Amino acid sequence: MSEVTQLIHHYLRHSKKFPHVFCPGCGHGIVLGSLIRSVHALSLSKDDVVLVAGIGCSGRMAVYVDFNTLHTTHGRALTFATGIKTANPKLKVIVVMGDGDALSIGGNHLIHAARRNVGITALILNNNIYGMTGGQSSPTSPDGCRTTTAPHGQLEAPFDTVDLLRGAGANFVARGTVMHAKMLDKLITTALDRPGFNVVEVLTPCHTQYGRKNEFKTAVDMYRDLKKRSISLDGYSNLSEEERPNRVPIGIFEQRDNRGLEEHYEQMRQQLQGGQQ
Amino acid sequence: MKSPMQLNRFEIRLSGTGGQGVLTLGRILGHGLAIEHGYYVTQTQSYGPEARGGASRADLVVNSQPINYPKPEQLDFLVALSQEACNRYFQRLKPTGRLFVDTTLVTQTPSNQFWGLPCTEIAREKIGLVQATNIVALGALTHVLPFARPAAMKRSLEANLPAKILELNLKAFTAGYNQARKDIPDGPTQWTFS
Amino acid sequence: MPKKPKKGNTKVWVYPDWCKGCGLCVAFCPGKVLELNEQGKAEVVHPEECINCGFCELHCPDFAIVVTPKEGAEQETAPQAHEGQTSAAPDC
Amino acid sequence: MSPKKKATRELFALGNEAVVEGALLAGCSYFAGYPITPSTEIAELMSTRLPATEDGVFLQMEDEIASLGAVIGASLAGRKAMTATSGPGFSLMQEHLGYACMTEVPLVLVNVMRGGPSTGLPTSPAQGDVQQARWGTHGDHPIIVLSASNVQQCLDMTVRAFNFAEKYRTPVVLLLDEVTAHTREKVRVPSSSECEVLSRITPSMPPEWYVPYEDSMRGVPPMPPLGSGYRFHVTGLTHDENGYPTSKTDEVDDLVKRLHRKIDQFFYDIQVVHEEQCEDAEVAVITYGCVARSAHLAVQQAREKGYKVGLLELNTLFPFARSAVERLTRQCRALVVPEMNMGQISREVKRVNNGRAQILTLNRVDGQIVTPGELLKTVIKA
């Protein structure tokens, strides 16, 4: 373990103010660590990694890490990333989005990036709430929870991110949590090392905005709850229907090996130019 | 070979129904006059749902001088490949303007002063392809327009059509051209240019 | 079954400047090595109980904890007490 | 990777097709767009041409927001990139147009104007997006807006749009209209050797010395492509010279003023205007886009009738041609501004005029081009 934190320091921008901007107990820092360890595990060059973030708490992640970084517009990170990847397929393009970012304002871009299977690794940091703007409902806020725009309880059903993305055709769909960092490392490393569009949904508690309105006394309580609810895919499949509500399966849900859009495109170009000769 | 003529805003409207290839006709005629003859040409056309189904049209302004206003104001030449188009646009013709119709489809002309050729019939009978009507018409127009040269129009066909349908269309062009020469021998001399 | 983890072969460091006092390390450390001090920051109180599971280092959102082997100590990483694997139920 | 040397060619092409020729000539190798009448031919022709080039990429995106996002991404990755749209799509693109202004990403956005507001008249011309091009995205920002009135200009101004975008690291909007885009004319495609093509300046210092948003005399920082070893942060937030978000008043002030200065100080370089018979003019017509064609004819006809009328055609709409217009306000009795909107450039003319000359407007918003005849009447009245 000894080199883990030193390793992370090697990838941080030391001109930035630390500790970072995230609230105490926010899982976003854990995801950042996991992402850095995964990039390191694959021996990717900092110069070749482009980290594209959207807007919201997750959007602030990009500024701290010494890659090529973009902090874009709300929900649109995937569109910028698509441009970058198709313009220069050699780059390793990683997108970090929040749940509001990816599934609400950016929902259209998300399903189309998955359908297009463009060579991007997308992390969806799902904290079930709009954190930065003050705790409003997000498309993953659970039915019945309290938010600042659902003070009497959320009436709408949440998205199942995994089901959505499998339906949209993503190559790789996984779900992890910040309570299981080692597993998260494995999921992100796998996602980064595959062709096409690869998504990891990361459950990450927001105590400041979600926890306090929903009877979690501390951030630690939220992590305990996350630990209690999370269950491996195998474990989940063994549960009876009555046992399943309020349990969240984590692991790898989809693994296809379809080529990325940029590879397809290059093949078309070669065919076109071959035909001209 | 006809010598190049000085033109001052010669306005042509090609009209018919969607699917007759009026827009292609406009593009090939325009290309021929602009690139192969060296005239200034603007070609505009109807767009959108209007361009499918119902009436379809392509307009050309041909000039020896640069063209300012790109759309026709008063037509010198109306080509109508359908009855509906003929009825709709006839009023836009100048008093000295000329009308050309496809007599297969236009049976009631608003004036007895017109040139006619059964373009659709020629395409169907001689070429065996009704879709070649527009190119049959192009051949006929090349004859009646005193400033158009057949060799140049053929080059325009080559530049605008895919190789696999070129030969058929060159045949259609020649059929239209020859039939027009036979049926409208004095066509090119009947014009009064402003 | 994993063999019993060895204790006392590691040093645990906390950078107080970066610690925000969230308490994750304190709550989930299997050896109760850490506690929150009066300033609300994590502090190492029972270093001898550390089994080198690495939970605190991996899960510190602020990169404020370092676990290093003691000089000359046997390098060994214990199985993660709280770590879920894809194959095993993570809520063990 | 030098572009293949090609001889001058003549085409009989649509304005939209000439845009594509101009873009390819200027080195554009990336297009992302979404179909919308009357700009669609640009996307269609790009989808044919780009994949056949050495590194060209065409993408049809899920909407206009995504299109401009992809274009920005591609430009950051070092490509000369563009998109094309029309009114409703232009409205959607405003968000990313602002992002490109703030992050100083070169790109070309062609907006083929059609009738509006909203979906309006999809297949008819209009000039209703002129002020939107200037002020459509929120925040105080400079922007370059160009226009073209014939097919040759569509090509020429597209090349210029890329050159300005690259030279000043800014998005450039090229405003066309349905008539200009859908008129077929002879267009001369110059050979690459006779066409000036500018490219962004990349850093010449080592990466560790590179300050991504450092001010200079020109105010335009060098721009490396992503992945070239110059790692930096790009954000739509106000940022310091290192690219990191800041709200410090002096740093914010420096940034916003530099963004303005880098365009303002090159006003004369960016101005493209054409004057015709203005030397002795007592009345001048100020015009742009397809209406300029009617205006040329109307001015010619007025001269034939003995009226001393001149014409000023604006190819650069913004920054507005205040110097050329001001001279005419001092010289002429009246200025006539015909437009296919209720008065968007005449507003600028009036601002510069400051009460000196009489300003006559001629506005059509019925989806029809202003005709030479009606313009002639207005000119004679003036």
Side-chain angles (χ1 to χ4, degrees), chain B residues 9 26-27 29-31 34-35 38-45 47-50 60 67-71 73, chain D residues 10-12 14 37 41 123 125 178-179 182-187 290 293-294 296-297 300 369-373:
Chain B
R9 273 195 87 83
R27 203 173 77 233
L29 180 61
H31 179 103
I35 306 294
Y39 286 112
Y40 290 92
V41 180
T42 59
Q43 187 244 308
T44 52
Q45 61 199 48
Y47 268 89
E50 193 194 346
L60 290 99
I67 298 163
N68 297 315
Y69 188 62
K71 302 209 167 196
E73 294 189 295
Chain D
E10 274 191 344
L11 303 172
F12 186 60
L14 291 176
T37 305
E41 291 85 359
T123 57
E178 192 274 338
V179 171
H182 279 169
T183 296
R184 236 180 253 279
E185 270 183 304
K186 183 159 54 185
V187 54
C290 65
R293 303 186 69 133
S294 304
H296 279 284
L297 190 54
Q300 204 177 309
I369 178 170
V370 175
T371 63

Side-chain angles (χ1 to χ4, degrees), chain A residues 155-178:
Chain A
L155 296 177
E156 303 167 12
F159 259 132
D160 183 322
T161 316
V162 165
D163 283 354
L164 179 76
L165 283 156
R166 292 176 74 184
N171 246 5
F172 175 87
V173 185
R175 182 189 284 134
T177 90
V178 291

Side-chain angles (χ1 to χ4, degrees), chain A residues 123-150:
Chain A
L123 307 182
I124 300 174
L125 275 52
N126 181 359
N127 59 8
N128 309 105
I129 199 121
Y130 284 88
M132 186 161 276
T133 48
Q136 296 80 17
S137 294
S138 91
T140 53
S141 296
D143 194 2
C145 77
R146 308 273 161 171
T147 74
T148 52
T149 48

